[in-house]
Amino acid sequence: MTDREGRDMKVMVAGAGIGGLCLAQGLLRAGVDVRVYEREAGAQSRYQGFRIGLNAQGLAALRECLPPRLHGLLDAVTGPMSGERRVVDQHLGELRLLGAVDGGTATDRHVLRQLLLAGLGDRVEFGRAVVGYTEQEDGTVVAHFSDGSSAVGDLLVGADGVGSAVRRQLLPEAEVVTLPGNALLGRTPLTERFAALVPGFGTVVHGPGVSMLLGRMEFRRPPRRAAADLAPDVELPDTGSYLRWVVMLPEPLAPALVALADDWATVRDRLLALIDGWHPDLVELVRQSDVGNSSPLTVRYAKPVPHWGTRRVTLLGDAIHPMPPSAGQGANTAFRDAALLCRSLTAVQRGEAELPAAVEAYERRMLDHGFAAVAESLERLPDFTPAR
Ligand SMILES: Cc1cc2nc3c(=O)[nH]c(=O)nc-3n(C[C@H](O)[C@H](O)[C@H](O)COP(=O)(O)OP(=O)(O)OC[C@H]3O[C@@H](n4cnc5c(N)ncnc54)[C@H](O)[C@@H]3O)c2cc1C
């Protein structure tokens, strides 16, 4: 039960994103004292809702951490993501078929995050931004927050995403590269008309100077109703199925549009001017986009880092290995990290391992699979940014 004699192990997690919450769920199941500190004021504070494709490994890791009573709800709020990949022109004329794929299971990040908050209660503290930490001689670590307060634990896990404050202190040399922004991420409520645009896994539209990638997020059951039936204590957002689309913009125009991050109505109108004359279904898709859930897309990735020598501070998910969404690996890898770290810490909790050795074993495996996923995502970037 204890990592050091006479006292229960306490794990502090910076960041209540999907990786940090997945870890917290697993640790809670294992009886570990876990606290999550989230910078945002609440779970609904900012744009969160894009489609995430889970592969078999990512889904298995997520289920491993999530209590079994929520597995049925998880299944209900996912959707299919397989079939033919079509390439069409701006008038929806078929250019070619790229072959059928099994893309795994579609989920929505916002719905998933709400599901991952279930049962954590006051173990998640919102409005607490971690700004740094101090390692103490007795082997504990102090997390410092932006409001001047602090908390003490045996391990601090930086799950605070691509801009991680924990990584900046632990690995000041670690490099995160921002790719020139030329993409817009939109979402439009799914109707029969729009569903017909994506009969299979996905559709790529190659128009003059502009490309569009279309994919469906079709929940098996509406999330809020599914929660009411299957786990009434869990509150899921009242989100309907949607069509997710990514627009790759011509280079000269991209910076001006991407800079308008907070003004989707203007971005949408400029995009509509750009696709004037395209098939009416595509124009309408953009016109009907959900203002609160569409935005320019910034793509970042990390350069590989060697193992740093284990401390009482470690990292997970985008905080250590952010990657472009081109291979659909970021969340899957964050869940693998979370399940792996959870197993290591559970062994410590049971008295079967020492904390430093358990953390080091996690870090070495996480660095291997994490940076392999970054490399794969970079290799597949050209698929994501199709030739004009
Ligand atoms: C358009 C798009 C599509 C994607 N598609 C896929 C896909 O199909 N499949 C896939 O596997 N992945 C996909 N990804 C990647 C995936 O979303 C990320 O890899 C994943 O969200 C990373 O999870 P995380 O918990 O590490 O970080 P995040 O989800 O970014 O969470 C970090 C959390 O930390 C909080 N935080 C930040 N700083 C602090 C601080 N100082 N103190 C406290 N809290 C802090 C943030 O507010 C946030 O809540 C996609 C990403 C995008 C943008």
Side-chain angles (χ1 to χ4, degrees), residues 8-25:
D8 279 353
M9 175 171 66
K10 178 179 170 190
V11 176
M12 302 185 292
V13 180
I18 49 182
L21 291 175
C22 183
L23 173 67
Q25 287 285 354

Side-chain angles (χ1 to χ4, degrees), residues 51-75:
R51 185 184 74 158
I52 285 185
L54 295 177
N55 59 31
Q57 255 180 334
L59 187 59
L62 173 60
R63 290 170 78 97
E64 183 179 329
C65 291
L66 205 61
R69 75 175 188 93
L70 296 178
H71 288 187
L73 181 55
L74 173 65
D75 292 341

Side-chain angles (χ1 to χ4, degrees), residues 14-20 37-40 46 50-53 109 113 128-130 159-162 165 185 297 316-319 325 328-332 334:
I18 49 182
Y37 304 105
E38 165 59 44
R39 170 180 71 177
E40 304 286 346
R46 72 184 158 96
F50 47 83
R51 185 184 74 158
I52 285 185
R109 184 181 180 278
R113 189 165 182 249
R128 300 205 79 188
V130 174
D160 47 348
V162 62
L185 179 62
L297 179 63
L316 172 159
D318 278 10
Q329 289 272 17
N332 285 297

Side-chain angles (χ1 to χ4, degrees), residues 254-268 270 295-296:
L257 277 191
V258 170
L260 289 168
D262 296 327
D263 184 2
W264 179 256
T266 303
V267 174
R268 181 198 53 204
R270 299 226 185 134
S295 71

Side-chain angles (χ1 to χ4, degrees), residues 20 145 171 232 269 329 377:
F145 302 103
L171 302 173
D269 290 348
Q329 289 272 17
S377 304

